[in-house]
Amino acid sequence: EAGVTQFPSHSVIEKGQTVTLRCDPISGHDNLYWYRRVMGKEIKFLLHFVKESKQDESGMPNNRFLAERTGGTYSTLKVQPAELEDSGVYFCASSLQGAFNSPLHFGNGTRLTVT
Amino acid sequence: AQSVAQPEDQVNVAEGNPLTVKCTYSVSGNPYLFWYVQYPNRGLQFLLKYITGDNLVKGSYGFEAEFNKSQTSFHLKKPSALVSDSALYFCAVRDGRGYSTLTFGKGTMLLVSP
């Protein structure tokens, strides 16, 4: 089966610009998660979709971040306007079962650099 | 709140020697524990998990981990390290009661020398 794919793999933008990250989960996986890792730090949870609904968005840093999953398939994460502290690697993951009991399947991540 | 501590930024071991990557956790309810591995420029891959049952769990690539409730630890182990095991390892925990997110540690880089 095709794995979780993320696009782009790298993005370099200037402070104040907008960036949109995309994630295509494994087909049939209703659960989709976004995580972020700042260099050398923990991988932080951002939010969790079940199909097209937001199950948990408690990890979203602020209202500059907007996640969508229209139709319950792929998801986008938009950062507008970007700030320097938004730099990091953004991971998307999906799973067949929710509640985090089943293993998460991760994409390769998008490395975002805000200059 | 739940948390994970990986006290070592890096672990160095010679090929053929046993390896241990340490993890301790804090959670209110029963812990569900996981290990993931990340190879360069790749996403995280699931290695193993502990939900309930036997304290020693076996996973992919010959790795195993031991759940120790009294020490709140879930150390990752392998009897004989390979150079190809060199990667970044993440421990993660969630509270087994109801819904809770998966909390990761900051990762431990494992370097296996030939």
Side-chain angles (χ1 to χ4, degrees):
Chain A
E1 63 180 5
V4 176
T5 57
Q6 292 187 245
F7 182 83
S9 57
H10 293 82
S11 180
V12 181
I13 61 172
E14 293 183 353
K15 176 182 175 181
Q17 290 185 322
T18 297
V19 63
T20 299
L21 314 181
R22 173 170 169 145
C23 169
D24 286 75
I26 293 173
S27 178
H29 281 194
D30 287 340
N31 294 274
L32 186 150
Y33 315 84
W34 283 99
Y35 280 85
R36 176 175 72 176
R37 185 176 191 236
V38 174
M39 180 66 73
K41 304 283 189 179
E42 295 86 351
I43 299 173
K44 294 282 194 182
F45 168 80
L46 296 179
L47 89 161
H48 171 203
F49 283 102
V50 178
K51 297 185 179 179
E52 67 274 11
S53 299
K54 292 175 183 174
Q55 169 78 23
D56 183 352
E57 53 183 331
S58 61
M60 295 288 265
N62 50 61
N63 58 11
R64 295 186 293 103
F65 288 74
L66 175 64
E68 295 180 325
R69 193 183 182 195
T70 306
T73 54
Y74 71 91
S75 174
T76 59
L77 180 64
K78 180 190 290 187
V79 185
Q80 179 183 28
E83 298 288 345
L84 298 179
E85 64 264 25
D86 300 333
S87 296
V89 180
Y90 289 77
F91 290 105
C92 174
S94 71
S95 69
L96 191 59
Q97 296 176 349
F100 294 89
N101 287 347
S102 58
L104 304 185
H105 299 263
F106 281 83
N108 290 345
T110 294
R111 182 175 297 277
L112 174 64
T113 302
V114 183
T115 62
Chain B
Q2 55 196 40
S3 65
V4 173
Q6 293 183 243
E8 303 151 318
D9 290 336
Q10 185 169 305
V11 170
N12 297 294
V13 65
E15 187 173 32
N17 285 356
L19 69 87
T20 299
V21 182
K22 296 180 180 177
C23 170
T24 58
Y25 65 89
S26 175
V27 69
S28 299
N30 291 326
Y32 288 8
L33 294 153
F34 303 80
W35 276 100
Y36 284 81
V37 59
Q38 184 186 17
Y39 297 101
N41 300 313
R42 304 298 300 275
L44 280 73
Q45 296 178 29
F46 169 77
L47 272 180
L48 50 80
K49 68 178 179 180
Y50 171 83
I51 303 296
T52 186
D54 196 350
N55 289 346
L56 183 65
V57 293
K58 296 185 182 297
S60 307
Y61 312 121
F63 283 93
E64 58 189 28
E66 186 166 13
F67 169 63
N68 187 316
K69 187 173 183 178
S70 63
Q71 297 185 1
T72 61
S73 68
F74 191 57
H75 301 331
L76 182 70
K77 300 181 180 184
K78 187 173 182 181
S80 178
L82 299 173
V83 173
S84 57
D85 292 331
S86 298
L88 188 57
Y89 290 80
F90 291 93
C91 181
V93 68
R94 69 162 288 244
D95 191 325
R97 299 178 306 179
Y99 175 87
S100 76
T101 61
L102 195 60
T103 298
F104 285 87
K106 63 178 175 61
T108 298
M109 178 64 71
L110 173 66
L111 293 177
V112 182
S113 56

